Amino acid sequence: MLKEASDGQLTALYNAVSASEQVQFEPVGRWFEAFLKRRSRNVSASFQELEEEEELSEEEEDEELQLEEYPMLKTLDPKDWKNQDHYAVLGLAHIRYKATQKQIKAAHKAMVLKHHPDKRKAAGEQIVEGDNDYFTCITKAMEMLSDPVKRRAFDSVDPTFDNMVPSKAEGKENFFEVFAPVFERNSRWTVKKHVPSLGSMDASFEDVDNFYSFWYNFDSWREFSYLDEEEKEKAECRDERRWIEKQNRASRAQRKKEEMNRIRTLVDTAYNCDPRIKKFKEEEKARKESEKKAKADAKKREQEEKERARQEEEAAARMQREKEEEAARQAAQQAKKEKEVQKKAIKKERQKLRTTCKTHSYFTDNEADGVRMMEEVEKLCDRLELTSLQMLNEALASGNKEQSKAALEKQVQEVNVQMQKEKEAEMQAQQAARGAEHTSAGGGGGANNRGWNEEDLQLLIKAVNLFPAGTNARWEVIASYMNQHSSSGVKRTAKDVINKAKTLQKLDPHQKDEINRKAFEKFRKEHSVVPQTVDNAAPSERFDAVSAESNSSPWTTEEQKLLEQALKTFPVNTPERWEKISDAVPGRSKKDCMKRYKELVEMIKAKKAAQEQVTAKNKK
């Protein structure tokens, strides 16, 4: 730094002055402590001045320390030292937990000089011998307050501390006047420093939130070891000492829990009574409502635009759909016409074949051969398709009688060969089933395991599908169902049914398919509406119409679902109910739907009867 020029002097520069630079220095050690003190006090002073000021402040505190005489001091019982107020005994009742160790030592020194037994004895006062003198209470108070651990234990149960929590009624009237001193009073227990204040009505949301976050996560150092009823030092053995420690820990934990509940109750009460919380909630509610309204307006405008676009799209889609429906309707009508044409063509070809054979007396002069050939012709009508029938009729019409007879016999022979192959396959399946039955009978050894005919196997498969897994007492119900509907007369038990079902599961898939096919063939034969015509009369139109419309194939799962939905859609009182139901199930006629409905009703009745029989048997 250049010195300031005095009056009449000049400053001359011989070289260019370099630019000034700002350099930061960090104080360390005692200089850092002095720096912090200067910054906190916002003053500038040297380290020595600060130390001198601190020493002067301590001396002033010692000079200003005023002890309050405890009037009940001489009446204290040394044996009941635990219930005495140690701060009052040393004359520090007015500063209590704020007293420093230096003040405690000074107070103890003053009390010793005044109340020591030698001093009082020299003054002519009567002294109690031993530890029964009240001076023992002064010694005990110094012992408790000079030890930081023991002092904290005593401060935790300070008899002058007010544990009261204001009620909601008190807090709603004068919230800040009621709760501010309570929180300030309880802040002495916190482990953390810098306790946030309750603030005022003008406090910001961040300040209020910080205040309640601190108190909801309050960490208290308050502990209650001073109130232990038992002292482990008095224990006579290790086991007794452990028992005393266990009892003391339990009582401390209980008191700590009650203390934390008290703090939580205080914070909850204050939070519910705080007018600022109510104000913040109202502001938040108003803000959310405004945002909600703005979103609703924007959404409404967006929906209106989407609605206009949707209406335009629907109009275009409706026109396209109408065109497609019209095309589909025409295609369906065309398909229906083609189907009707095909039905009529098949009917015509069958009638033509019958008429041709009848005209030629079935190509034989023998009556017995005529009857046999008549049956063969009906067999051809049942098994040949439209193309085969047309080819056969053309062959019969184009040739003479011998050629026609040869063509007919050739076609009959081909059909018989095909039927013979099917019969042989059926016999092989029966043999495989009988072999499986013998295997099962040899393993079980019981009489009821024998005699499983095709009807019983089909009935077992039907019962297993009728009573699925999860049915209560499933195998007993299946056995009861078979005993009710079987014509073999053999009574089956649940064990027999289980063994046979396991045997069927182990069969080859082709054998299973063969059993199911035979069941279907039997069903078709029993429910066939086409009688074997042995006379020369032509079938009626009504009979042919029914046989053409009837569909004897098994009901698929999709058809079953459509039938159940149609039964729900069209109740009993619906006009022309079964016509509407058959229209809802493609490929099924009115008669098929009615027949399936009756089968389902009978099946459900049989199922309920079997379950009721097993239930009654179990009750017995």
Side-chain angles (χ1 to χ4, degrees), residues 71-136:
M72 305 296 292
L73 177 62
K74 296 182 179 182
T75 63
L76 294 177
D77 184 6
K79 296 180 181 180
D80 194 22
W81 62 269
K82 205 167 188 178
N83 293 325
Q84 73 181 14
D85 186 353
H86 300 303
Y87 288 112
V89 169
L90 294 182
L92 299 175
H94 57 295
I95 55 178
R96 303 193 71 79
Y97 70 94
K98 296 180 181 179
T100 63
Q101 285 295 325
K102 192 171 184 179
Q103 291 173 335
I104 292 174
K105 290 179 181 179
H108 177 256
K109 182 179 180 181
M111 296 300 291
V112 169
L113 292 176
K114 183 176 181 180
H115 297 282
H116 195 275
D118 294 340
K119 292 282 185 179
R120 290 186 287 124
K121 188 175 182 180
E125 184 177 343
Q126 187 69 26
I127 304 301
V128 179
E129 297 296 335
D131 293 337
N132 294 327
D133 188 69
Y134 72 88
F135 185 76
T136 305

Side-chain angles (χ1 to χ4, degrees), residues 11 37 46 52 70 144 233 248 299 331-332 430 487 564 580-581 614:
T11 301
K37 291 181 179 180
S46 65
E52 291 176 0
Y70 186 40
M144 295 297 297
E233 290 79 6
N248 291 338
K299 188 176 181 180
Q430 290 177 358
S487 60
E564 294 175 358
K580 296 180 180 179
I581 292 175
V614 173

Side-chain angles (χ1 to χ4, degrees), residues 22 86 194 213 302 374 392 444 508 570 576 582:
Q22 184 177 1
H86 300 303
H194 308 292
S213 298
E302 183 180 359
M374 188 184 304
L392 180 58
D508 186 72
F570 305 107
E576 298 181 357
S582 62

Side-chain angles (χ1 to χ4, degrees), residues 162-348:
D162 186 7
N163 290 310
M164 186 270 299
V165 175
S167 63
K168 291 184 179 180
E170 296 173 347
K172 288 182 178 180
E173 295 178 359
N174 300 308
F175 175 76
F176 296 99
E177 291 79 1
V178 171
F179 282 95
V182 178
F183 280 107
E184 184 178 359
R185 183 168 64 243
N186 284 274
S187 64
R188 63 181 286 190
W189 309 122
T190 180
V191 175
K192 302 177 182 178
K193 302 301 179 183
H194 308 292
V195 181
S197 62
L198 181 61
S200 61
M201 192 64 189
D202 299 331
S204 63
F205 175 79
E206 289 75 13
D207 295 338
V208 176
D209 183 67
N210 183 33
F211 173 79
Y212 284 107
S213 298
F214 174 85
W215 282 99
Y216 272 118
N217 299 288
F218 187 75
D219 188 8
S220 174
W221 57 261
R222 195 176 188 184
E223 49 95 8
F224 301 91
S225 60
Y226 190 82
L227 300 178
D228 291 345
E229 297 181 359
E230 302 288 343
E231 297 181 7
K232 64 179 182 180
E233 290 79 6
K234 296 181 180 180
E236 298 180 357
C237 62
R238 182 173 59 182
D239 292 337
E240 185 179 358
R241 185 163 55 254
R242 289 179 177 176
W243 181 84
I244 291 174
E245 289 178 353
K246 182 178 179 181
Q247 296 296 323
N248 291 338
R249 282 197 301 269
S251 61
R252 293 175 192 174
Q254 180 63 27
R255 292 190 178 97
K256 184 70 174 181
K257 182 178 179 181
E258 294 175 356
E259 168 65 11
M260 297 312 296
N261 289 337
R262 185 186 69 84
I263 296 294
R264 186 56 182 259
T265 304
L266 171 63
V267 180
D268 288 340
T269 305
Y271 187 86
N272 294 330
C273 297
D274 197 337
R276 299 171 298 181
I277 299 298
K278 184 178 180 181
K279 181 184 71 173
F280 293 149
K281 288 182 178 179
E282 292 176 353
E283 293 176 354
E284 182 68 14
K285 184 178 180 181
R287 183 184 64 80
K288 288 183 177 180
E289 288 180 354
S290 61
E291 292 179 356
K292 185 177 180 181
K293 184 178 180 181
K295 289 182 180 179
D297 295 340
K299 188 176 181 180
K300 184 178 179 181
R301 290 192 297 270
E302 183 180 359
Q303 287 179 351
E304 290 176 353
E305 294 177 358
K306 288 183 178 180
E307 183 66 21
R308 286 194 297 270
R310 186 185 63 82
Q311 290 178 358
E312 294 176 358
E313 292 178 358
E314 285 183 353
R318 184 170 57 254
M319 295 178 65
Q320 182 66 23
R321 186 168 58 253
E322 289 176 355
K323 292 180 181 179
E324 293 176 355
E325 289 177 355
E326 182 63 25
R329 190 180 303 109
Q330 293 178 359
Q333 291 177 357
Q334 183 66 26
K336 187 175 180 181
K337 289 179 181 179
E338 292 177 357
K339 188 176 180 181
E340 294 294 333
V341 170
Q342 187 178 9
K343 287 181 180 180
K344 291 180 180 179
I346 292 176
K347 180 180 177 182
K348 181 179 179 181

Side-chain angles (χ1 to χ4, degrees), residues 550-574:
S550 179
N551 188 355
S552 59
S553 60
W555 280 71
T556 62
T557 305
E558 186 65 26
E559 290 176 343
Q560 182 67 27
K561 291 181 179 179
L562 293 174
L563 176 61
E564 294 175 358
Q565 183 63 35
L567 290 171
K568 296 178 182 178
T569 306
F570 305 107
V572 180
N573 56 357
T574 304

Side-chain angles (χ1 to χ4, degrees), residues 602-616:
E602 293 175 358
M603 191 182 302
I604 293 173
K605 289 181 179 179
K607 184 176 180 180
K608 290 183 178 179
Q611 290 178 338
E612 290 175 358
Q613 184 176 358
V614 173
T615 304

